[in-house]
Amino acid sequence: MSSETYGDSSAIELAIVPRSDPEPGRLAGITAAHNAVRAELNIAPLTWSPQVAAFAQAWADKLAEQGCVMQHRPYEGPDAQKYGENIFSSWGYAPSAVDVVADWASEAADYNAITDTCSGVCGHYTQVVWAASERLGCGMASCGDKEVWVCNYDPPGNIWGERPY
């Protein structure tokens, strides 16, 4: 961060902060989208992790080799999961990072925080807002007009018997 002083007598100091998303390409803004959802609940923001992102990208690439199938990492074997994970798939359109997170966050309508119960699908949402998660890394791959997006969270959320926040 640098600062400059403008004007002779007023000496107004302006901070010049470059605006850049840490994520590459189409993933740009995905951390901010996650953090916007978390901010609504006063949950600490996630930080982008290149290491977690490399893990997510490796899985997105593997899914692309299989035609962009929707499949979570297994819990055992050479591709074993070590983080929390959300996956998203699209075909016929190219969603933005904000679109992907908004889809996961839309599950909030099915989640009751008071009773910690779900009336539908909630696991993507609860992972997005899992308060103990600190780092985020995502990847995406294309297969013609299909795309698959993978986000991993460290530490993982959706721990049985624990509340997300």
Side-chain angles (χ1 to χ4, degrees):
M1 183 163 110
S2 63
S3 63
E4 298 179 23
T5 303
Y6 292 94
D8 298 314
S9 60
S10 61
I12 300 171
E13 189 173 298
L14 301 174
I16 300 171
V17 180
R19 168 73 172 116
S20 64
D21 293 311
E23 314 92 347
R26 296 264 314 283
L27 296 171
I30 202 158
T31 305
H34 276 81
N35 289 337
V37 176
R38 293 168 70 90
E40 292 174 10
L41 299 169
N42 295 317
I43 297 170
L46 297 167
T47 59
W48 180 258
S49 167
Q51 294 78 20
V52 177
F55 189 79
Q57 186 62 56
W59 188 243
D61 291 342
K62 187 151 195 167
L63 295 178
E65 291 170 8
Q66 301 169 21
C68 285
V69 298
M70 284 274 287
Q71 181 178 344
H72 284 284
R73 274 186 183 267
Y75 288 102
E76 298 176 344
D79 293 319
Q81 183 59 268
K82 57 184 177 180
Y83 301 114
E85 182 176 76
N86 278 345
I87 57 176
F88 176 90
S89 179
S90 70
W91 54 96
Y93 75 105
S96 69
V98 171
D99 295 333
V100 172
V101 176
D103 183 75
W104 294 330
S106 71
E107 294 175 5
D110 293 332
Y111 180 68
N112 183 324
I114 295 169
T115 61
D116 191 31
T117 57
C118 183
S119 62
V121 176
C122 300
H124 301 99
Y125 168 70
T126 55
Q127 177 59 83
V128 168
V129 299
W130 198 266
S133 293
E134 299 173 358
R135 289 165 295 284
L136 170 71
C138 303
M140 66 86 59
S142 300
C143 311
D145 68 345
K146 290 183 183 177
E147 290 183 357
V148 62
W149 294 62
V150 177
C151 284
N152 288 129
Y153 305 82
D154 182 36
N158 291 335
I159 308 299
W160 187 257
E162 294 183 20
R163 291 176 172 261
Y165 51 89

